[in-house]
Amino acid sequence: MRRFAHVSPDSVAAATAALREARAAPVGGGSDLLGMIKDNLVAPDRLVRLTELSGLDAVASQGDGGVRIGGMITLSALSRHPVIGERYAVLADAAGSVGTPQIRNTGTLAGNLTQRPWCWYFRQGFPCYKHGGSRCFSRTGENQFNAILGGGPSYIVHPSDTAPALVALDAQIHIVGDTGDRWLPIREFFVLPSEDVTRENILRPGEIVTELELPPHTGTHSAYTKVTDREAWTHAVVSTAVVLTLDGDGVCRSAGVVLGGVAPIPWRVEPVERLLVGQRMTPELAAAAGAAAVEGARALARNRYKIALVSETLRRSLLSLA
Ligand SMILES: Cc1cc2nc3c(=O)[nH]c(=O)nc-3n(C[C@H](O)[C@H](O)[C@H](O)COP(=O)(O)OP(=O)(O)OC[C@H]3O[C@@H](n4cnc5c(N)ncnc54)[C@H](O)[C@@H]3O)c2cc1C
């Protein structure tokens, strides 16, 4: 393994200053980054550890009923937090579904959102677009787990479990860099390969994710459903994040519906959201929503099964929530 320096700044300003160095990289729990270093996929000279930054590992209730979550909170702490479990079950479920207890005990929320793709061509160092090459090997190769929506020229799927939940919840994300900071809707954070094939999000070199904010969600029903090819230790083959506000008569007043494991970004399905609003859930409506979610999906040679799988997963999730 290549040698690198390791620094633990105690303030966000010190962290962004440390990241000014060429070949410096931020690190949370290291559950993704250290594997990439060991496999010679990246070679930073300096790791800037963010887990010592005080106050960025907690959940704080806001005056308006929303919550602010530090980006350095571990996935375990997030999944077990009483306020998150009670008001934002979709996020608690998503965080609790990641990998294994060991990964959740070290992995951070910010690291989960910014982890690199797990397409096996990328992880094995093939000269694909993500490594600066000029092709996507999964387009014609082993593409069982690749994208059916929003792909091209790269067909990676976004690997994060918490990202679909946060998009469905309409979260805001806080980004800090050397030249300032900004809050933006998390749905604007992710980048399609057709916009820039080399990256998965809008972070510029030296910028870090520090916090997330969730709007008030009293009265919502939400759930994250993850389908995997084995019981644990793995990313979603497909997943659905659903957030519904139902009135006293069970009529849907607002809906957030986002698919995971099927596209290079968390895939929000606005036609499904529009279909649900103003309606009371029925088996027919849930089936129509499942079908609408995959309109326009284009399978690669080996992943046609994902179309039916995500459609059916969404149908079941909607029925169980209502
Ligand atoms: C066996 C295994 C199974 C896994 N299963 C899943 C799974 O089921 N679901 C899932 O979603 N993930 C999974 N992962 C991926 C991932 O390791 C974890 O999700 C974890 O949350 C990553 O967080 P971390 O803090 O360890 O990230 P790190 O490894 O520290 O960092 C990941 C990346 O994000 C960057 N980064 C870290 N923090 C910040 C920040 N604050 N701002 C900007 N950039 C930052 C790093 O530079 C690096 O590029 C798995 C990983 C392994 C090894």
Side-chain angles (χ1 to χ4, degrees), residues 26 28-33 75 99 108 112 114-115 161 209 226 234-235:
S31 60
D32 173 23
L33 185 60
L75 298 167
T108 62
N112 188 261
T114 51
Q115 61 180 294
D161 278 306
V209 173
K226 174 172 174 177
T234 190
H235 292 82

Side-chain angles (χ1 to χ4, degrees), residues 120-121 137-148 237 298-307:
W120 43 41
Y121 291 108
F137 291 85
S138 60
R139 194 174 72 79
T140 51
E142 296 295 324
N143 47 37
Q144 289 87 330
F145 298 118
N146 291 82
I148 55 170
V237 174
R298 290 167 66 120
L300 299 165
R302 294 177 168 82
N303 67 5
R304 179 160 297 281
Y305 74 96
K306 278 196 179 187
I307 297 178

Side-chain angles (χ1 to χ4, degrees), residues 25-33 50 72 75 97-99 103 106-108 110-112 114-116 118 159-161 203 207-209 226 233-235:
V27 64
S31 60
D32 173 23
L33 185 60
L50 304 177
M72 269 34 90
L75 298 167
S97 79
V98 169
I103 301 278
T106 54
T108 62
N112 188 261
T114 51
Q115 61 180 294
R116 298 305 314 277
W118 288 77
S160 166
D161 278 306
L203 287 179
E207 286 188 328
I208 57 171
V209 173
K226 174 172 174 177
W233 197 268
T234 190
H235 292 82

Side-chain angles (χ1 to χ4, degrees), residues 128 249 251 257 276 281 296 301:
C128 67
D249 297 325
V251 175
V257 181
L276 298 177
M281 191 57 64

Side-chain angles (χ1 to χ4, degrees), residues 37 81 132 139 147 186 193 205 213 224 239 242 274 296 318:
I37 295 172
H81 196 281
R139 194 174 72 79
I186 194 164
E213 192 166 294
Y224 183 72
S239 68
V242 180
R274 286 196 293 273
L318 287 170

Side-chain angles (χ1 to χ4, degrees), residues 93-237:
D93 292 353
S97 79
V98 169
T100 63
Q102 293 90 334
I103 301 278
R104 297 194 291 275
N105 286 342
T106 54
T108 62
L109 177 59
N112 188 261
L113 293 172
T114 51
Q115 61 180 294
R116 298 305 314 277
W118 288 77
C119 171
W120 43 41
Y121 291 108
F122 173 73
R123 291 280 161 172
Q124 289 177 32
F126 279 66
C128 67
Y129 287 117
K130 297 283 179 191
H131 286 306
S134 57
R135 61 180 283 205
C136 174
F137 291 85
S138 60
R139 194 174 72 79
T140 51
E142 296 295 324
N143 47 37
Q144 289 87 330
F145 298 118
N146 291 82
I148 55 170
L149 288 158
S154 159
Y155 288 83
I156 63 139
V157 291
H158 200 278
S160 166
D161 278 306
T162 60
L166 289 164
V167 175
L169 286 166
D170 225 359
Q172 300 275 319
I173 188 165
H174 191 224
I175 295 171
V176 182
D178 216 13
T179 54
D181 73 305
R182 55 203 157 118
W183 279 98
L184 69 150
I186 194 164
R187 78 181 89 94
E188 294 172 17
F189 179 68
F190 303 100
V191 173
L192 276 170
S194 55
E195 295 162 19
D196 184 344
V197 74
T198 61
R199 53 166 68 199
E200 295 82 49
N201 57 58
I202 59 166
L203 287 179
R204 296 188 284 253
E207 286 188 328
I208 57 171
V209 173
T210 55
E211 291 177 283
L212 284 304
E213 192 166 294
L214 306 181
H217 264 286
T218 318
T220 58
H221 296 55
S222 72
Y224 183 72
T225 309
K226 174 172 174 177
V227 180
T228 55
D229 61 345
R230 53 185 188 266
E231 281 288 309
W233 197 268
T234 190
H235 292 82
V237 174

